[in-house]
Amino acid sequence: MQKDLAEKMIDAAIEMLRFSYSPYSGFKVGAALLAENGKIYTGCNIENAAYTPTNCAERTAFFKAVSEGEHDFKAICIVGGKDGVLTEYAPPCGVCRQVMMEFCDPEKFLIILAVSKEKYDIFTLKELLPLGFGPGNLKMPK
Ligand code: THU
């Protein structure tokens, strides 16, 4: 991943913090999902008074993209913090990792965890979800 592209994704994820709908936790999360064609789909977390319908920022970005016909992805950047203050990484929850597993090659898909353009780390999906269950597991044995 080129530095300027990573920085562009970090900017896009941080920009999404202002749309975070998080009146219950106060924890704002922003995500920027890079498609193979270079397009960036953004997302924020969307909470709910009934709690369980809450949607994470990463899944918002994935569902926006998939609902527009996009199925090929390169990377996602995630930022988050209480009241939108970024002090440490906001790693994706297990459900979001599983959604990534549905559409992405775990050895190639990159997850950028950032606090700022100066402080970030890049992981593969495989590093964050080793031995994940994916579409390949449902294929008929030959
Ligand atoms: N959250 C995300 O948006 N992404 C994650 O991967 C972890 C958690 C949101 C859900 C909820 O609105 C808030 O952070 C606190 O859990």
Side-chain angles (χ1 to χ4, degrees):
M1 160 83 47
Q2 290 201 318
K3 193 165 174 277
D4 57 341
L5 183 54
E7 289 181 359
K8 187 178 167 188
M9 292 176 68
I10 293 167
D11 272 340
I14 290 174
E15 179 67 17
M16 288 310 286
L17 292 172
R18 69 192 175 101
F19 296 126
S20 166
Y21 179 76
S22 41
Y24 306 107
S25 74
F27 194 86
K28 295 177 191 271
V29 185
L33 174 63
L34 177 68
E36 283 287 354
N37 62 13
K39 201 167 165 191
I40 291 177
Y41 294 85
T42 54
C44 64
N45 55 330
I46 304 169
E47 297 188 346
N48 189 282
Y51 291 7
T52 52
T54 293
N55 206 54
C56 291
E58 303 91 310
R59 276 178 288 142
T60 302
F62 265 93
F63 297 159
K64 280 169 71 179
V66 173
S67 67
E68 291 185 22
E70 199 68 68
H71 281 202
D72 303 311
F73 304 102
K74 271 189 177 151
I76 191 167
C77 174
I78 309 156
V79 297
K82 188 80 179 164
D83 300 324
V85 180
L86 305 182
T87 53
E88 51 193 84
Y89 293 155
C93 79
V95 173
C96 288
R97 293 178 203 208
Q98 185 63 36
V99 168
M100 294 173 198
M101 187 72 199
E102 184 66 28
F103 296 102
C104 309
D105 178 342
E107 295 191 7
K108 292 194 184 132
F109 186 69
L110 301 177
I111 298 167
I112 304 170
L113 301 183
V115 167
S116 67
K117 280 191 279 189
E118 289 70 44
K119 182 167 169 40
Y120 65 90
D121 278 301
I122 305 181
F123 304 87
T124 62
L125 176 57
K126 192 172 182 175
E127 285 177 297
L128 299 194
L129 188 65
L131 212 65
F133 186 88
N137 295 100
L138 292 182
K139 289 214 175 98
M140 281 296 223
K142 281 181 195 142

